[in-house]
Each structure stands twice: as C-alpha cells, then as structure tokens.
Amino acid sequence: MLNQKENIIKSNNTINNHKIVIKIEHLKKSFNGNNVLKDINMIVCEGENVVILGKSGIGKSVLIKCIVGLIYPDAGLLKVFGKEVAEMNSRELNILRTRVGFIFQGNALYDSMTVRENLEFPLRRNKTITDPHVIEELIVDALENVGLVDAIDKMPSELSGGMKKRIGVARTLILKPEIILYDEPTTGLDPLTSREISNLILKIQNKYKASSIIISHDLNCSKITSNRMLILHEGIIRAEGTFDELKSSDDEWVRSYFKID
Ligand SMILES: Nc1ncnc2c1ncn2[C@@H]1O[C@H](COP(=O)(O)OP(=O)(O)OP(=O)(O)O)[C@@H](O)[C@H]1O
Ligand SMILES: [Mg+2]
C-alpha cells in the first residue's frame, strides 16, 4: 500500500493523504545493557495492515508493548493518534487502550471465567457500557464475528488452541478498537486453522477499517494479511516492502526470510 522510502511525509500526520495513526522515530529500548531496540523508525497508516517479521528474541513484542504504554522506551518519539504515549496520564492511557486492542502472544484468556465472562471483562473495566442487554448483544456480535457463538458458555479449557485465539480476537474486538496489535496470532496452530485466523484478520480490516500490526513468523499469514511488511533485525527496521517485493528482493538476506525448508 505504502512504501515509506518512496513517499514524502507531507505533514506530521499524513503521508500521501493517508492519515498516520502510529508514528515511531529513533525509538530505543534496552534492558540491563541489552540494547534490544536501537533506532526504530516506522509508521502505520489508517486502514493499513503492517506485518513485522523478525527472529525470536529480537524485540518484536517489546516494540508493540511500547505502543500501548506497557513498556516505556528509553528515547525517541512514539505517537499514537498524534499523541506522545510517554506523556499520557493514566486516564489518557486507559482511553488509548480502548482505541488500541492488543492480542497477546499466547491467549491470555482468564481460565476461571467462561467465554461470556472473558468477553464481558473489558466492557466492565471500561465502564462505558453498563446495560446488560447491550452487553449481551455486543458479546454475541463479537462471537459472531469469529464464528463462535456456540462457545459462549464454555470454559477456555474446553476450547481448542485455534478457538482460544478466536475468542482472544473477539475479546479485543468488543471495544471496537481502531488499531489492533496481533502478537503471533497463528503460532502453534495447524495450517488450516492458521489460514482461518489470517482470513479473520483480513475480514476485520475490511469490516472495521481498522489498522493493524501483525507480528508473525508465518509466511502464509503474512501473505494473506499484509499491505506492507517490515523486518526487524539487530534493533532496527532492516527492510520494508510488500510481501512480493521482499520475497523477490535483490538482497539475499531479505529473501532468506521467505525460504521454506
Ligand atoms: N520486561 C523485560 N525485562 C527484561 N528483558 C526483557 C523484558 N521484555 C523483553 N526482554 C528482552 O528483550 C528481548 C526481546 O524480547 P521480545 O519478547 O520482544 O522478543 P520477540 O522478538 O517478541 O521474540 P519471540 O519471537 O520469541 O516472541 C529479549 O532478549 C528479552 O529477554
Ligand atoms: Mg514475542
């Protein structure tokens, strides 16, 4: 959709008339001398799906945790919807976390709660919707989106891995986020279920016009979901382009990410 290098950022908030929803410049983050993120520069535009590839332990989860203020960068700029996350107070951070949904690596469902209760949880915490009928409608609507209305009274332990992922997506969708951060949505799933989740991510982009960052090692998922891809390596974004551009890159190192053994 967009190639940053070939485009001029015309103002702080748009690039070629696309609204920028996430803007990161010179972001750094270390943990006890471990320089994980050294100089991250990237943008995400409204309605765009950006896939981030990168080896295990390279800092992908750290990067997206910075976007919702779960981890604070040591230096650099990180603006979401035009506002610097590091300067947000707790009220603003709460609002940010309703506008930006986070689907954690692993499922992060509450094991002692039913599917209904898991989905109710963000609404209760958010406190903007209290009418039980409206809550029920939202839960059913979110479950319909992921094709799992029948699971409403089940416990997470009764669900398969793929179903848990879909419930995790439904729980995030319930607050109608404008940005969704997916941390390895298909890891550990069989190829068919992975494809279902990838198609769900695409459906959500089209239905809600949401922008997303999808962290993935899964090339099929990247191909299905991405408008643009970034490769994170040694603390910087080493490569950027569409799936096809990167797959046929002149740089052998870039192409190596697309080899299937
Ligand atoms: N809270 C933390 N405290 C200290 N070190 C951390 C913390 N969070 C992450 N790290 C370190 O930062 C590095 C990057 O971790 P991160 O979880 O972002 O990797 P990743 O790219 O998401 O890997 P994976 O693909 O395995 O999920 C790792 O060396 C990790 O140990
Ligand atoms: Mg991770």
Side-chain angles (χ1 to χ4, degrees):
M1 186 193 255
L2 280 172
N3 189 332
Q4 229 169 304
K5 289 178 206 129
E6 290 168 10
N7 288 277
I8 303 159
I9 297 186
K10 287 190 178 144
S11 78
N12 268 343
N13 296 320
T14 61
I15 177 166
N16 288 2
N17 296 328
H18 294 276
K19 198 169 147 197
I20 296 172
V21 289
I22 299 175
K23 184 176 184 183
I24 300 177
E25 284 176 359
H26 305 302
L27 184 142
K28 291 184 178 47
K29 180 68 192 176
S30 327
F31 297 100
N32 308 317
N34 175 12
N35 297 325
V36 177
L37 304 176
K38 293 178 187 159
D39 187 11
I40 300 292
N41 296 283
M42 60 178 277
I43 56 164
V44 177
C45 288
E46 198 169 50
E48 187 184 26
N49 274 356
V50 175
V51 166
I52 301 182
L53 284 182
K55 284 188 206 152
S56 187
I58 212 81
K60 304 178 300 295
S61 296
V62 168
L63 176 59
I64 60 167
K65 282 179 185 163
C66 288
I67 294 169
V68 278
L70 290 171
I71 288 179
Y72 281 90
D74 301 329
L77 172 146
L78 197 178
K79 284 186 173 177
V80 183
F81 303 121
K83 280 209 79 172
E84 180 68 64
V85 176
E87 287 166 9
M88 291 183 185
N89 59 32
S90 58
R91 194 185 63 85
E92 290 169 320
L93 272 178
N94 279 337
I95 295 170
L96 177 77
R97 288 173 191 154
T98 62
R99 297 182 74 189
V100 184
F102 196 121
I103 296 165
F104 287 92
Q105 198 168 357
N107 297 301
L109 294 180
Y110 297 103
D111 287 336
S112 59
M113 294 183 188
T114 63
V115 166
R116 178 189 269 107
E117 288 162 345
N118 263 286
L119 267 65
E120 245 180 298
F121 191 79
L123 294 172
R124 297 226 179 272
R125 193 183 46 196
N126 198 244
K127 294 192 188 102
T128 42
I129 300 157
T130 49
D131 181 335
H133 297 294
V134 178
I135 289 179
E136 183 71 12
E137 259 174 44
L138 286 171
I139 292 172
V140 171
D141 185 45
L143 287 173
E144 266 169 7
N145 270 314
V146 299
L148 279 177
V149 182
D150 291 349
I152 194 161
D153 291 315
K154 289 203 159 57
M155 300 301 288
S157 59
E158 297 174 84
L159 305 174
S160 70
M163 289 162 99
K164 283 185 199 162
K165 294 260 186 203
R166 278 148 70 190
I167 299 295
V169 173
R171 188 175 59 179
T172 301
L173 286 183
I174 208 155
L175 291 174
K176 309 244 182 306
E178 293 148 74
I179 299 175
I180 307 172
L181 309 176
Y182 298 90
D183 198 346
E184 302 203 9
T186 62
T187 300
L189 302 178
D190 66 80
L192 278 180
T193 313
S194 294
R195 194 184 308 153
E196 260 176 51
I197 298 278
S198 306
N199 285 326
L200 176 62
I201 293 171
L202 201 59
K203 180 179 128 184
I204 289 165
Q205 179 192 27
N206 292 328
K207 185 167 172 188
Y208 295 103
K209 310 292 170 219
S211 322
S212 298
I213 295 182
I214 302 134
I215 291 178
S216 187
H217 296 287
D218 175 348
L219 290 178
N220 288 324
C221 172
S222 305
K223 189 174 168 55
I224 292 173
T225 60
S226 67
N227 300 116
R228 192 155 57 91
M229 297 182 67
L230 308 173
I231 303 181
L232 176 61
H233 185 67
E234 292 183 345
I236 62 166
I237 303 295
R238 249 303 285 275
E240 181 202 352
T242 62
F243 183 93
D244 291 332
E245 282 166 357
L246 294 186
K247 192 173 178 225
S248 57
S249 166
D250 293 338
D251 185 339
E252 197 183 332
W253 179 86
V254 172
R255 284 202 311 276
S256 71
Y257 279 79
F258 295 82
K259 284 197 181 115
I260 301 166
D261 298 324

